[in-house]
Every structure is written in C-alpha cells, then in structure tokens.
C-alpha cells in the first residue's frame, strides 16, 4: 500500500533582509514510499535534505509540487495545500518528526518526556513510565539520569532521549533528521536496531544519515539529491 508520494516538489526561500533574496532550497524531488519502507535522502550539506523533511512536516510551505499522504482509511491528504487543522490532525495521529536536536520544556524528567508520548495515546501512566524506562535503558541512558531534565544531558544523551520520544509510540510516517549524528558506534547500532524494529511493524520513514553504513543498513530506497533519482541498486 502506497503511504507517501512526493511529486515535483520545490522549495524556494525568500529572505527579507537587505532586499528580497531568493534562496533555492530544493527542486524536482520525486519519490514514492509504500507502508513500512525506509527512504534516505543522500547529498552534500546544503542540498536541501533537512528542508525536504520540514516541508513534508509542513513546518515549511511548499513552493510547488505535491505531497500526498495516504491514510489508513483510504483518504489522501495533500500536505502541500491542506488546511492547518488537517495538518494538526495528521501530526497528532499519522506524521511524526524527529528533529536534529531535542526541543523540550524545562524541568520535565527524561522518563516523563518519553512517557508522555504513550500517555497521549491512551496508555496508563504506570505502564507508560515502565515502557519509557525500558526504552531509555535500551538506548544506554544511565538510570541515575531518568528523573532529571534532559536539558542538562550531553549532546549524545539528548539525542537518544529525542529518538526514544520519537519512536516509543510511532506514527505511521516518521521523518528523521540525522538521528545518529552525535552517537558512537554502539549507540548508533542500537538506534538502527530500534528503527528496523518499527519498520517491521509497518512504520514508513524518511531519514537523513551522515554515516553511509548506517544508511545502507536501514534503507530500502536512497534518493540521490544530485542525480534527482534513486541511487543505483536502491
Ligand atoms: N528557513 C530558511 N530560510 C532561508 N534559507 C533556508 C532556510 N532553511 C534552509 N535554507 C537554505 O536552503 C538550502 C538547503 O538547506 P538544508 O535543507 O538545511 O540542507 P541540508 O540539510 O541538505 O544540509 C541552504 O542553502 C539553506 O541556506
Ligand atoms: Mg540538514
């Protein structure tokens, strides 16, 4: 079943400092994903990878083209031109975004940051906290940090809390911007293992990786931003 289809997608930024400067984000982007497929965006810094994820999430408006999201109930949402309330609905139930950096409120513990995602889906507080702890332990977060705000954590620890939060109650499509960027090999592999697990459960993902081995291990498709097509053998 098709889950996500991107057609002739283009983004141009108009920067309103010192007159109006037009900055190219990306253009001519086309790909299609089935349920449970993982696509990686591959290309040099500045190629527009993060901007594509932000456009898919509608943090950025589309300049031209289409983003069709196929929901389980058979309806199609064109993310490029749907209403704000349709987008909020989609984000609530179907579309998740794991940003490069953790963005959370102060004074909320690591366990609560992660457990909240499950509680919002109807899980009891007790079970949600238990599952959150399991996930944090799996990702090598020390137990003594569980009840502390992640704002004081190291970059790598924050990133793992961010991943835990993003995948503990996964939406049907997840957008991942360099989820393993500041992790060592052991923790990178743990994150990839978890992503493979939710992929098996049918979660569709679009991701960006620095590390080629990582990218190849998880990807069904690799979209080459320079060639504007899937990379050979993908
Ligand atoms: N909010 C923005 N306003 C203006 N230009 C932006 C904005 N976001 C991204 N860009 C520009 O779009 C281009 C692509 O950036 P980005 O998507 O971050 O690339 P990548 O993630 O592949 O490194 C860059 O030239 C960047 O300066
Ligand atoms: Mg980027």
């Amino acid at each position: 079943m098709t889950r996500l289809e991107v057609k002739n997608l283009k983004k141009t930024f108009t920067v309103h400092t010192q007159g109006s400067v037009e900055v190219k984000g990306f253009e001519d982007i086309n790909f299609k994903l089935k349920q449970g497929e993982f696509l990686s965006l591959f290309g040099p810094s500045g190629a527009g990878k993060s901007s594509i994820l932000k456009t898919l999430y509608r943090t950025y408006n589309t300049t031209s083209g289409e983003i069709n999201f196929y929901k389980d109930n058979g309806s199609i949402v064109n993310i490029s031109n749907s209403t704000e309330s349709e987008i909020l609905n989609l984000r609530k139930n179907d579309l998740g975004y794991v940003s490069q950096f953790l963005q959370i409120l102060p004074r909320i513990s690591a366990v609560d940051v992660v457990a909240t995602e499950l509680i919002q889906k109807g899980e009891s507080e007790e079970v949600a906290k238990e599952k959150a702890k399991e996930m944090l332990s799996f990702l090598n977060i020390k137990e003594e940090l569980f009840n502390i705000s992640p704002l004081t954590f190291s970059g790598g620890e924050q990133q793992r809390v961010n991943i835990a939060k993003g995948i503990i109650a996964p939406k049907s499509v997840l957008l991942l911007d360099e989820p393993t960027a500041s992790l060592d090999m052991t923790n990178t592999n743990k994150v990839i293992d978890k992503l493979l697990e939710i992929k098996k459960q049918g979660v569709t993902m679009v991701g960006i990786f620095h590390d080629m081995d990582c990218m190849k291990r998880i990807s069904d498709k690799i979209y080459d931003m320079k060639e504007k097509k899937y990379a050979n053998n993908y």
Side-chain angles (χ1 to χ4, degrees), residues 49-51 100 177-178 208:
K49 304 180 296 296
S50 296
S51 299
Q100 224 166 338
D177 197 343
E178 305 208 22
I208 302 168

Side-chain angles (χ1 to χ4, degrees), residues 36 38 138 167 176 188-203 205 209 213-220:
F38 197 112
F138 179 84
I167 67 176
L176 303 150
T188 294
N189 284 329
K190 291 216 150 199
V191 168
I192 298 292
D193 286 344
K194 273 287 165 200
L195 294 178
L196 285 167
E197 202 178 302
I198 59 172
K199 186 158 108 71
K200 251 194 211 147
Q201 292 162 12
V203 177
M205 290 176 269
F209 292 96
D213 291 334
C214 256
M215 181 174 79
K216 288 180 178 164
R217 220 183 120 201
I218 186 105
S219 303
D220 300 298

Side-chain angles (χ1 to χ4, degrees), residues 13-108:
F13 298 97
T14 308
V15 182
H16 296 283
T17 47
Q18 305 165 342
S20 282
V21 184
E22 295 262 297
V23 178
K24 194 174 89 182
F26 54 81
E27 60 186 355
D28 298 327
I29 304 298
N30 291 278
F31 58 79
K32 194 167 169 176
L33 288 177
K34 291 199 187 90
Q35 182 180 8
E37 279 190 315
F38 197 112
L39 173 116
S40 287
L41 299 172
F42 171 72
S45 170
K49 304 180 296 296
S50 296
S51 299
I52 291 178
L53 295 192
K54 286 177 186 162
T55 308
L56 296 179
Y57 197 61
R58 249 280 280 279
T59 306
Y60 292 163
N61 282 315
T62 297
T63 301
S64 63
E66 273 176 45
I67 304 163
N68 293 317
F69 188 110
Y70 295 73
K71 292 175 62 159
D72 282 335
N73 65 12
S75 65
I76 303 170
V77 179
N78 180 353
I79 293 173
S80 301
N81 67 11
S82 50
T83 62
E84 285 301 308
S85 78
E86 276 177 307
I87 291 296
L88 290 179
N89 243 324
L90 202 67
R91 287 180 181 177
K92 201 164 131 205
N93 302 311
D94 302 295
L95 182 61
Y97 170 66
V98 180
S99 61
Q100 224 166 338
F101 303 103
L102 182 69
Q103 295 158 318
I104 50 163
L105 298 169
R107 292 188 295 278
I108 298 176

